[in-house]
Amino acid sequence: MNRVSRLLALLVMAVLAGCGKPEFSDAEKKTIASLALSALPPLKADTTNRFADVPAAAALGATLFFDVGMSGEGKVSCSTCHKIDRQFQDDLPQAVGVGRTNRRTMPLAGVAHDAWLFWDGRRDSLWAQALAPLENPLEQAGNRAAYAHYIKARFGERYERIFGPLPDLSTVPANASPLGSDAEKAAWNAMSDAQAQGVNRVFANIGKAIAAFERSIAPPHTRFDRFAAALDTGIQTPQGDDAFSPEEILGLKLFIGKANCVTCHTGPRFTDGSFHNTGVPPVTNLPPDRGRMDAVAQVEADPFNCFGAFRDGDASACGELRFMVKAGPELVRAYKTPSLRGAATRAPYMHAGQFSSLDEVVAHYSKAPASVEGVSEVHPLQLSNRERAALVAFLKTLAE
């Protein structure tokens, strides 16, 4: 064997020896470690909700979450859309309560870490978010006076053990709300300030109880987390059930490298919690939806926001709302970055279920079409079919 042949043989042996065992750089390993659930910080105390970590409040919140009595027609509950066996979502392109909405149901695991709630961030706390579907005519379609009466009749003793005495509701109309039907609005406007304040306090506490329950919903560990843990202990290529295939490793490298997915899908929940226009197309026949642009006014007008009278604690907790970006082209058709944990098993995708599979999602980001309004933040990735398949393979490790 001549010298050239020997060199070629050694090169082939080296390639074969390393096949399926690509190494990660120190920088890559650091990024991978930052994405593992072990890096998720403990939940911060919610000083706007002093009942957030009270077990009795969480237990009442769980009861209310699954109670169809918490709706105008007595047929819909929070769990109608947030199904416990489906990662607290519903597999539909748009949620269906009393009617069909224009948005996809978001999963709830780890949601208590978010500063802004809903796809557009139109609520600034978990307990304020819990109130919105209760009066939305397409979701639970109730009214706050009726909810106050229902709480007193069904859960009065439990409520008072947690929150203190209920207000006198004897002269409060059966149905009244500043939202809803003309009759409900008229009944609300006819109430005294003290009556309205009492009903609003009960209503706010309903949200605080549901939020206390939702704080307990945490994302489960996955094969990715076990892989990341092995890397963190110095094992360059984890073996056994936790090993990644060459395709999954390529997908992970693309995710944190060439594809730039980690720019927005960052941290242990694979989300930056912020809002981005990524050129996702609108859905035909749905109402106009401008995302974050329209949500700013809604969160400012919400009487249950952090500046409102029903916040516990002082206004030092309201930094997000105080320094909220209120205007700018970057808000147009900008939607919250969803967590990718478990995403592989909860198609369809995007804020209104525009894409039916992860393959479609990756294809969208690979092509990066222009947004119908505003400017998309993403640029064409020029990914090959092999690279796109590898990204999908990696994303599946976040659901196993």
Side-chain angles (χ1 to χ4, degrees):
M1 183 182 291
N2 60 37
R3 183 180 180 188
V4 172
S5 296
R6 287 197 299 271
L7 286 174
L8 286 173
L10 289 171
L11 178 61
V12 170
M13 290 175 64
V15 170
L16 290 175
C19 185
K21 297 182 179 180
E23 292 192 352
F24 293 93
S25 68
D26 288 342
E28 286 176 324
K29 286 192 283 187
K30 183 177 180 180
T31 299
I32 292 168
S34 74
L35 297 172
L37 267 186
S38 58
L40 186 67
L43 270 176
K44 294 180 180 178
D46 183 358
T47 57
T48 72
N49 175 10
R50 62 191 176 93
F51 308 97
D53 297 307
V54 174
L60 176 60
T63 300
L64 299 178
F65 187 93
F66 294 100
D67 184 2
V68 295
M70 294 297 293
S71 65
E73 297 181 355
K75 297 178 181 179
V76 176
S77 70
C78 303
S79 64
T80 298
C81 296
H82 296 285
K83 298 181 185 298
I84 192 171
D85 61 341
R86 296 301 306 143
Q87 299 181 38
F88 288 90
Q89 52 87 51
D90 56 12
D91 297 331
L92 298 174
Q94 298 99 40
V96 177
V98 172
R100 180 176 289 275
T101 72
N102 66 338
R103 296 270 178 83
R104 176 90 165 88
T105 299
M106 300 190 90
L108 297 180
V111 70
H113 289 273
D114 289 345
W116 303 104
L117 287 300
F118 291 113
W119 280 101
D120 54 11
R122 64 185 182 274
R123 293 295 183 270
D124 67 341
S125 72
L126 191 55
W127 62 270
Q129 180 279 327
L131 300 175
L134 296 175
E135 292 191 295
N136 188 314
L138 298 177
E139 296 184 69
Q140 287 164 262
N143 66 81
R144 64 189 70 171
Y147 288 129
H149 286 295
Y150 183 73
I151 290 294
K152 183 172 184 176
R154 186 83 185 272
F155 306 107
E157 289 186 10
R158 289 179 68 182
Y159 176 98
E160 292 189 330
R161 284 199 299 268
I162 300 164
F163 300 107
L166 281 155
D168 179 9
L169 301 175
S170 61
T171 59
V172 171
N175 296 284
S177 172
L179 310 175
S181 68
D182 289 342
E184 289 168 352
K185 291 177 183 176
W188 183 266
N189 291 332
M191 290 166 52
S192 68
D193 289 344
Q195 288 175 317
Q197 186 80 354
V199 169
N200 278 338
R201 177 62 65 185
V202 175
F203 193 55
N205 286 339
I206 289 171
K208 290 176 181 181
I210 294 173
F213 163 64
E214 292 179 339
R215 278 173 70 86
S216 70
I217 304 171
H221 282 75
T222 67
R223 191 155 64 90
F224 165 76
D225 296 298
R226 296 190 293 275
F227 180 88
L231 275 184
D232 197 41
T233 59
I235 300 174
Q236 185 67 32
T237 52
Q239 304 299 309
D241 293 340
D242 298 336
F244 272 24
S245 69
E247 183 180 42
E248 291 165 341
I249 289 173
L250 173 60
L252 173 54
K253 282 179 168 284
L254 288 166
F255 188 93
I256 63 176
K258 175 182 175 181
N260 291 322
C261 308
V262 76
T263 301
C264 296
H265 293 287
T266 188
R269 294 181 56 234
F270 285 78
T271 172
D272 61 1
S274 192
F275 307 91
H276 304 278
N277 181 337
T278 59
V280 176
V283 175
T284 303
N285 298 325
L286 285 184
D289 189 340
R290 305 185 77 208
R292 184 62 174 163
M293 174 63 79
D294 292 337
V296 170
Q298 295 180 51
V299 72
E300 284 189 309
D302 179 25
F304 302 100
N305 70 21
C306 193
F307 289 153
F310 304 97
R311 174 203 72 228
D312 295 318
D314 58 46
S316 63
C318 304
E320 294 282 355
L321 187 58
R322 178 174 289 110
F323 299 109
M324 173 178 63
V325 177
K326 298 181 180 181
E330 70 275 16
L331 304 183
V332 178
R333 290 193 64 78
Y335 301 90
K336 190 200 290 189
T337 306
S339 170
L340 294 181
R341 288 191 169 273
T345 61
R346 58 169 188 266
Y349 301 100
M350 304 305 179
H351 63 274
Q354 284 92 333
F355 302 132
S356 62
S357 68
L358 286 176
D359 300 272
E360 289 186 17
V361 173
V362 174
H364 170 81
Y365 285 109
S366 184
K367 297 175 183 177
S371 178
V372 296
E373 184 183 13
V375 178
S376 173
E377 296 180 26
V378 299
H379 304 283
L381 296 176
Q382 307 295 337
L383 298 177
S384 68
N385 290 339
R386 174 173 172 263
E387 289 173 325
R388 284 158 56 175
L391 269 176
V392 172
F394 163 65
L395 292 174
K396 291 179 179 178
T397 71
L398 299 174
E400 299 173 345

